[in-house]
Amino acid sequence: MLETVAKPIVQTLIQTLRWLLIAIVAGMLAGTASAILIVSLNWATKTREAHPWIVALLPLAGLSVGLMYHYLGRQVEAGNNLLLEQIHAPSATLQLRMTPLILIGTTLTHLFGGSAGREGTALQTGASLADQITVVLRKLGVAFSDQDRRILLTAGISAGFGSVFGTPLAGAVFGLEVLTIGSVGYAAIFPCLAAAVVADMTTRAWHVHHTLYAIAPKDLAAATLTPAHILASLAAGLIFGLAAMAFARTTHALGAIFKRIPFPPLRPLVGGCLVAAAVLLSHQTQYIGLGIPTISASFTQHLPPWTFAGKFLFTTVTLASGFKGGEVTPLFYIGSTLGNALAMILPLAPSLLAAMGFVAVFAGAANTPIASTLMALELFGTEAGVFAAIACVMSYLFSGEQGIYRTQRTAVLPEEAE
Amino acid sequence: MLETVAKPIVQTLIQTLRWLLIAIVAGMLAGTASAILIVSLNWATKTREAHPWIVALLPLAGLSVGLMYHYLGRQVEAGNNLLLEQIHAPSATLQLRMTPLILIGTTLTHLFGGSAGREGTALQTGASLADQITVVLRKLGVAFSDQDRRILLTAGISAGFGSVFGTPLAGAVFGLEVLTIGSVGYAAIFPCLAAAVVADMTTRAWHVHHTLYAIAPKDLAAATLTPAHILASLAAGLIFGLAAMAFARTTHALGAIFKRIPFPPLRPLVGGCLVAAAVLLSHQTQYIGLGIPTISASFTQHLPPWTFAGKFLFTTVTLASGFKGGEVTPLFYIGSTLGNALAMILPLAPSLLAAMGFVAVFAGAANTPIASTLMALELFGTEAGVFAAIACVMSYLFSGEQGIYRTQRTAVLPEEAE
């Protein structure tokens, strides 16, 4: 009796302590990388805003990023898709160079006015740094199986996501949820949570602060759960899902077009020309960079209804042509401004719809409805939780399975598998 | 192109509208049943408190419940385990009588002073009422496959859970999460969310209010994410997990002992004698019924450290002998009072530990760490979210796989299944 009760407890304790130690290291590495990334992007954004003419150099920046990846980073060029692939079918360790390359590539993209995000970068730094732990442990002769490595890579993704956005719970579930469409597996639940919490603590310990968004108190007070509000949330979620689908499909389609340029470094050169020309001709800078000021504005004022479309175009061209950065902050931007616009036709307040769109377009594009709902709770509080959850689930359903991560797999239901 | 984009959207729209209509009906039924349950239990609790001698009749109440189930409800006696079994391997429709039997059985249990909960009842009313929709649809000649029925039963569980506790997001994920240990499948995500939201709205529309618990503001302010606090949360979660394991094992072991009494209706008679004798000899009534006042007290004051043990004993004897009701509210009680006691040895505030225990013992016993974390966010707000998540995940790990629902299955990882 004692044996059967005590033995599994001791085994779980040893496993938990082992993963806690590993997750602390992975979390501190990922959190530090996220802090460096956020500080770099803040510097790049301020510098660009102080010198608007810098956008004219975007084609050259594109060429530099392209040359850098062509000659130094061909094996890590696939980025997030490579991460997911390695977790599904572990082969070679992620090269450590993934971290400096993606950090430099992302900073150049933002400094010269590309439209991109940062989560892709954070996932890659989080996971490639975590993968170095595998290398070190194995060199030290510590037993570390391929399954362990997969769990650690997943934890690295959670750590990167949780620390770059300041949302450790969403980060923990994102790692579990992003791997397989339509399923969450729990083998990595503790390492993911521990790494995400430690990473978030680490980023904050570096005195890096996250932008705060808030639903206007009067909009929250008006957000009662009436049938009309629920129906409006369902409709909004559907529209967010279609936007997510359009984003993923457009990025893939534009990527295929850019691939017709045979020498890869020329692709971001051409993409940079397009984006720079659009900025210089339109005198609009709100669609480039991370776009945090516009996201914030979508929570406080009415914006022109085409704002989301501008970001959509600038981001898909930037990323499809080979600039570096993530998709998620642009998806937050597209979602929150689209939500803001939907307030003109739906009986929900603009800041509530902005919050719903913020998480829901991302939920659809990444196929992560539960992580996105948790993110809404962490960023905006619990009062709008049901609205955010409805929007995220509807967007997940209507965005289709093809998301921004092409190497995601579709779940096998346990019943089907038996 | 238009075909490949538009066709899946139209199909998803039709499926979504179909499930929305079904979920509205299931949610209204489940929410109404939860309202009836909550009103009945409020009446039973008040009546018992006004007439404390009524506890002496608990053995007779036990005999009545036993006879009722023996002669009228043998096919629905397995309760929640029957629900999970039907979802895994659909055979016969859940009889409609499941609903009145469990409502009457639970009310009798509470009126005469058994120690039990209400979630088991809400799950059974939610699911058995939902299953009647299958019967009606099939009689009307509407195509409704066995897979559809499984999704609807899952949605009924979500609706019952979400409405009885006033936590629709936790309810939605609980339905998905409880079916299979270590995995969440998304086939039912929309029906579960829709049914849980509608059910919660329905219960509230019946003017039924839920008890509010709150972490003391000064305790929240002190709950900073320091390494010491994280380590204390890990330790607390481990202890909550062991309490959850002990609860599940004790209930199963006591159940096996009671099964030695060959005529089933005599089992709750004997169990009722034990509980009634303990109450009358000890002059303690805090361990019987739902125990809401003690749960509330665990958030506001220091309680004697053995409080959780009393509830543990009273509940395991009550439920193992065949009284009706759920395990979850007693688990909230055990968790919150155990958390309160742990404040004596851990560097975390008592009301924070009470909130963590509230959700974490349940997370371990039901194997539902994500639903329990969502519940913490819905009930206590987001500030304590990381603490609750750590406690829930640790409890899930350390409670072992054998939980309170014996017909749960263990997940097959997608990778293993391929």
mmCIF file of all heavy atoms in Angstrom, chain A residues 245-269:
data_model
loop_
_atom_site.group_PDB
_atom_site.id
_atom_site.type_symbol
_atom_site.label_atom_id
_atom_site.label_comp_id
_atom_site.label_asym_id
_atom_site.label_seq_id
_atom_site.Cartn_x
_atom_site.Cartn_y
_atom_site.Cartn_z
ATOM 1 N N MET A 245 -8.233 34.170 -41.594
ATOM 2 C CA MET A 245 -8.035 33.299 -42.756
ATOM 3 C C MET A 245 -7.417 34.085 -43.907
ATOM 4 O O MET A 245 -6.464 33.632 -44.559
ATOM 5 C CB MET A 245 -9.371 32.712 -43.196
ATOM 6 C CG MET A 245 -9.242 31.820 -44.415
ATOM 7 S SD MET A 245 -10.828 31.563 -45.230
ATOM 8 C CE MET A 245 -11.509 30.263 -44.225
ATOM 9 N N ALA A 246 -7.954 35.275 -44.162
ATOM 10 C CA ALA A 246 -7.431 36.103 -45.258
ATOM 11 C C ALA A 246 -5.959 36.431 -45.025
ATOM 12 O O ALA A 246 -5.146 36.402 -45.956
ATOM 13 C CB ALA A 246 -8.256 37.381 -45.383
ATOM 14 N N PHE A 247 -5.610 36.714 -43.754
ATOM 15 C CA PHE A 247 -4.216 37.049 -43.447
ATOM 16 C C PHE A 247 -3.300 35.866 -43.760
ATOM 17 O O PHE A 247 -2.270 36.021 -44.430
ATOM 18 C CB PHE A 247 -4.082 37.453 -41.979
ATOM 19 C CG PHE A 247 -2.706 37.911 -41.606
ATOM 20 C CD1 PHE A 247 -2.350 39.246 -41.718
ATOM 21 C CD2 PHE A 247 -1.748 37.009 -41.155
ATOM 22 C CE1 PHE A 247 -1.065 39.675 -41.400
ATOM 23 C CE2 PHE A 247 -0.464 37.422 -40.829
ATOM 24 C CZ PHE A 247 -0.135 38.763 -40.943
ATOM 25 N N ALA A 248 -3.668 34.684 -43.261
ATOM 26 C CA ALA A 248 -2.810 33.517 -43.468
ATOM 27 C C ALA A 248 -2.700 33.193 -44.952
ATOM 28 O O ALA A 248 -1.609 32.933 -45.475
ATOM 29 C CB ALA A 248 -3.358 32.321 -42.683
ATOM 30 N N ARG A 249 -3.842 33.230 -45.651
ATOM 31 C CA ARG A 249 -3.820 32.877 -47.078
ATOM 32 C C ARG A 249 -3.046 33.915 -47.891
ATOM 33 O O ARG A 249 -2.295 33.556 -48.808
ATOM 34 C CB ARG A 249 -5.243 32.771 -47.615
ATOM 35 C CG ARG A 249 -5.918 31.470 -47.178
ATOM 36 C CD ARG A 249 -7.350 31.401 -47.695
ATOM 37 N NE ARG A 249 -7.951 30.157 -47.276
ATOM 38 C CZ ARG A 249 -8.152 29.113 -48.092
ATOM 39 N NH1 ARG A 249 -7.786 29.191 -49.360
ATOM 40 N NH2 ARG A 249 -8.700 28.008 -47.634
ATOM 41 N N THR A 250 -3.249 35.186 -47.581
ATOM 42 C CA THR A 250 -2.550 36.226 -48.340
ATOM 43 C C THR A 250 -1.046 36.136 -48.123
ATOM 44 O O THR A 250 -0.259 36.260 -49.065
ATOM 45 C CB THR A 250 -3.069 37.615 -47.920
ATOM 46 O OG1 THR A 250 -4.487 37.632 -48.054
ATOM 47 C CG2 THR A 250 -2.468 38.710 -48.783
ATOM 48 N N THR A 251 -0.633 35.909 -46.859
ATOM 49 C CA THR A 251 0.798 35.789 -46.594
ATOM 50 C C THR A 251 1.402 34.621 -47.376
ATOM 51 O O THR A 251 2.462 34.754 -47.997
ATOM 52 C CB THR A 251 1.053 35.601 -45.082
ATOM 53 O OG1 THR A 251 0.376 36.640 -44.380
ATOM 54 C CG2 THR A 251 2.524 35.675 -44.754
ATOM 55 N N HIS A 252 0.700 33.478 -47.356
ATOM 56 C CA HIS A 252 1.224 32.324 -48.091
ATOM 57 C C HIS A 252 1.257 32.604 -49.599
ATOM 58 O O HIS A 252 2.230 32.289 -50.280
ATOM 59 C CB HIS A 252 0.373 31.079 -47.823
ATOM 60 C CG HIS A 252 0.425 30.627 -46.391
ATOM 61 N ND1 HIS A 252 1.569 30.703 -45.637
ATOM 62 C CD2 HIS A 252 -0.516 30.108 -45.568
ATOM 63 C CE1 HIS A 252 1.326 30.251 -44.412
ATOM 64 N NE2 HIS A 252 0.068 29.889 -44.342
ATOM 65 N N ALA A 253 0.176 33.216 -50.116
ATOM 66 C CA ALA A 253 0.105 33.466 -51.568
ATOM 67 C C ALA A 253 1.173 34.472 -52.002
ATOM 68 O O ALA A 253 1.866 34.268 -53.007
ATOM 69 C CB ALA A 253 -1.286 33.973 -51.934
ATOM 70 N N LEU A 254 1.319 35.553 -51.229
ATOM 71 C CA LEU A 254 2.359 36.532 -51.568
ATOM 72 C C LEU A 254 3.743 35.901 -51.457
ATOM 73 O O LEU A 254 4.638 36.183 -52.263
ATOM 74 C CB LEU A 254 2.273 37.746 -50.634
ATOM 75 C CG LEU A 254 1.183 38.772 -50.932
ATOM 76 C CD1 LEU A 254 1.207 39.884 -49.887
ATOM 77 C CD2 LEU A 254 1.396 39.380 -52.324
ATOM 78 N N GLY A 255 3.911 35.043 -50.459
ATOM 79 C CA GLY A 255 5.190 34.357 -50.303
ATOM 80 C C GLY A 255 5.530 33.550 -51.542
ATOM 81 O O GLY A 255 6.675 33.550 -52.011
ATOM 82 N N ALA A 256 4.504 32.880 -52.087
ATOM 83 C CA ALA A 256 4.727 32.079 -53.298
ATOM 84 C C ALA A 256 5.132 32.973 -54.461
ATOM 85 O O ALA A 256 5.982 32.601 -55.286
ATOM 86 C CB ALA A 256 3.461 31.292 -53.637
ATOM 87 N N ILE A 257 4.514 34.173 -54.544
ATOM 88 C CA ILE A 257 4.872 35.098 -55.628
ATOM 89 C C ILE A 257 6.313 35.577 -55.466
ATOM 90 O O ILE A 257 7.106 35.563 -56.419
ATOM 91 C CB ILE A 257 3.890 36.290 -55.655
ATOM 92 C CG1 ILE A 257 2.495 35.792 -56.058
ATOM 93 C CG2 ILE A 257 4.384 37.380 -56.612
ATOM 94 C CD1 ILE A 257 1.415 36.833 -55.931
ATOM 95 N N PHE A 258 6.665 35.984 -54.235
ATOM 96 C CA PHE A 258 8.039 36.448 -54.007
ATOM 97 C C PHE A 258 9.056 35.354 -54.302
ATOM 98 O O PHE A 258 10.181 35.629 -54.711
ATOM 99 C CB PHE A 258 8.203 36.956 -52.562
ATOM 100 C CG PHE A 258 7.791 38.390 -52.382
ATOM 101 C CD1 PHE A 258 6.635 38.718 -51.699
ATOM 102 C CD2 PHE A 258 8.554 39.432 -52.901
ATOM 103 C CE1 PHE A 258 6.243 40.041 -51.535
ATOM 104 C CE2 PHE A 258 8.181 40.749 -52.739
ATOM 105 C CZ PHE A 258 7.016 41.062 -52.049
ATOM 106 N N LYS A 259 8.661 34.090 -54.100
ATOM 107 C CA LYS A 259 9.608 32.990 -54.326
ATOM 108 C C LYS A 259 9.991 32.869 -55.795
ATOM 109 O O LYS A 259 10.937 32.158 -56.145
ATOM 110 C CB LYS A 259 9.027 31.669 -53.811
ATOM 111 C CG LYS A 259 9.031 31.583 -52.294
ATOM 112 C CD LYS A 259 9.497 30.230 -51.763
ATOM 113 C CE LYS A 259 9.757 30.303 -50.269
ATOM 114 N NZ LYS A 259 8.520 30.442 -49.477
ATOM 115 N N ARG A 260 9.223 33.538 -56.678
ATOM 116 C CA ARG A 260 9.605 33.501 -58.096
ATOM 117 C C ARG A 260 10.881 34.275 -58.351
ATOM 118 O O ARG A 260 11.525 34.123 -59.387
ATOM 119 C CB ARG A 260 8.478 34.081 -58.950
ATOM 120 C CG ARG A 260 7.235 33.201 -58.912
ATOM 121 C CD ARG A 260 6.241 33.610 -59.967
ATOM 122 N NE ARG A 260 4.948 33.015 -59.680
ATOM 123 C CZ ARG A 260 3.797 33.495 -60.104
ATOM 124 N NH1 ARG A 260 3.786 34.584 -60.862
ATOM 125 N NH2 ARG A 260 2.680 32.902 -59.791
ATOM 126 N N ILE A 261 11.233 35.146 -57.407
ATOM 127 C CA ILE A 261 12.538 35.817 -57.520
ATOM 128 C C ILE A 261 13.583 34.808 -57.093
ATOM 129 O O ILE A 261 13.603 34.391 -55.930
ATOM 130 C CB ILE A 261 12.590 37.065 -56.618
ATOM 131 C CG1 ILE A 261 11.463 38.035 -56.995
ATOM 132 C CG2 ILE A 261 13.958 37.733 -56.706
ATOM 133 C CD1 ILE A 261 11.323 39.214 -56.046
ATOM 134 N N PRO A 262 14.450 34.356 -58.014
ATOM 135 C CA PRO A 262 15.279 33.194 -57.692
ATOM 136 C C PRO A 262 16.311 33.444 -56.592
ATOM 137 O O PRO A 262 16.582 32.550 -55.790
ATOM 138 C CB PRO A 262 15.958 32.843 -59.019
ATOM 139 C CG PRO A 262 15.787 34.042 -59.896
ATOM 140 C CD PRO A 262 14.637 34.830 -59.397
ATOM 141 N N PHE A 263 16.910 34.645 -56.539
ATOM 142 C CA PHE A 263 17.946 34.882 -55.512
ATOM 143 C C PHE A 263 17.259 35.437 -54.256
ATOM 144 O O PHE A 263 16.812 36.592 -54.259
ATOM 145 C CB PHE A 263 18.988 35.864 -56.065
ATOM 146 C CG PHE A 263 20.181 36.055 -55.169
ATOM 147 C CD1 PHE A 263 20.958 34.968 -54.778
ATOM 148 C CD2 PHE A 263 20.525 37.323 -54.701
ATOM 149 C CE1 PHE A 263 22.064 35.142 -53.955
ATOM 150 C CE2 PHE A 263 21.615 37.495 -53.867
ATOM 151 C CZ PHE A 263 22.397 36.402 -53.487
ATOM 152 N N PRO A 264 17.181 34.618 -53.179
ATOM 153 C CA PRO A 264 16.367 35.001 -52.006
ATOM 154 C C PRO A 264 16.649 36.400 -51.443
ATOM 155 O O PRO A 264 15.700 37.099 -51.087
ATOM 156 C CB PRO A 264 16.670 33.899 -50.988
ATOM 157 C CG PRO A 264 17.058 32.724 -51.804
ATOM 158 C CD PRO A 264 17.774 33.278 -53.010
ATOM 159 N N PRO A 265 17.915 36.848 -51.348
ATOM 160 C CA PRO A 265 18.138 38.164 -50.737
ATOM 161 C C PRO A 265 17.452 39.308 -51.492
ATOM 162 O O PRO A 265 17.252 40.382 -50.927
ATOM 163 C CB PRO A 265 19.663 38.312 -50.766
ATOM 164 C CG PRO A 265 20.167 36.916 -50.713
ATOM 165 C CD PRO A 265 19.200 36.140 -51.550
ATOM 166 N N LEU A 266 17.105 39.081 -52.780
ATOM 167 C CA LEU A 266 16.448 40.151 -53.532
ATOM 168 C C LEU A 266 14.968 40.298 -53.164
ATOM 169 O O LEU A 266 14.364 41.336 -53.417
ATOM 170 C CB LEU A 266 16.567 39.886 -55.041
ATOM 171 C CG LEU A 266 17.986 39.958 -55.620
ATOM 172 C CD1 LEU A 266 17.950 39.677 -57.120
ATOM 173 C CD2 LEU A 266 18.598 41.336 -55.342
ATOM 174 N N ARG A 267 14.400 39.241 -52.562
ATOM 175 C CA ARG A 267 12.971 39.295 -52.241
ATOM 176 C C ARG A 267 12.659 40.417 -51.253
ATOM 177 O O ARG A 267 11.792 41.250 -51.525
ATOM 178 C CB ARG A 267 12.502 37.940 -51.714
ATOM 179 C CG ARG A 267 12.614 36.837 -52.747
ATOM 180 C CD ARG A 267 12.392 35.451 -52.126
ATOM 181 N NE ARG A 267 12.858 34.406 -53.044
ATOM 182 C CZ ARG A 267 13.112 33.148 -52.662
ATOM 183 N NH1 ARG A 267 12.951 32.784 -51.400
ATOM 184 N NH2 ARG A 267 13.532 32.262 -53.541
ATOM 185 N N PRO A 268 13.347 40.473 -50.089
ATOM 186 C CA PRO A 268 13.036 41.588 -49.180
ATOM 187 C C PRO A 268 13.464 42.937 -49.762
ATOM 188 O O PRO A 268 12.919 43.968 -49.355
ATOM 189 C CB PRO A 268 13.801 41.251 -47.897
ATOM 190 C CG PRO A 268 14.788 40.208 -48.268
ATOM 191 C CD PRO A 268 14.258 39.492 -49.463
ATOM 192 N N LEU A 269 14.402 42.935 -50.700
ATOM 193 C CA LEU A 269 14.743 44.200 -51.370
ATOM 194 C C LEU A 269 13.521 44.724 -52.114
ATOM 195 O O LEU A 269 13.125 45.889 -51.973
ATOM 196 C CB LEU A 269 15.912 43.981 -52.339
ATOM 197 C CG LEU A 269 16.288 45.174 -53.235
ATOM 198 C CD1 LEU A 269 17.026 46.241 -52.426
ATOM 199 C CD2 LEU A 269 17.171 44.728 -54.410
#
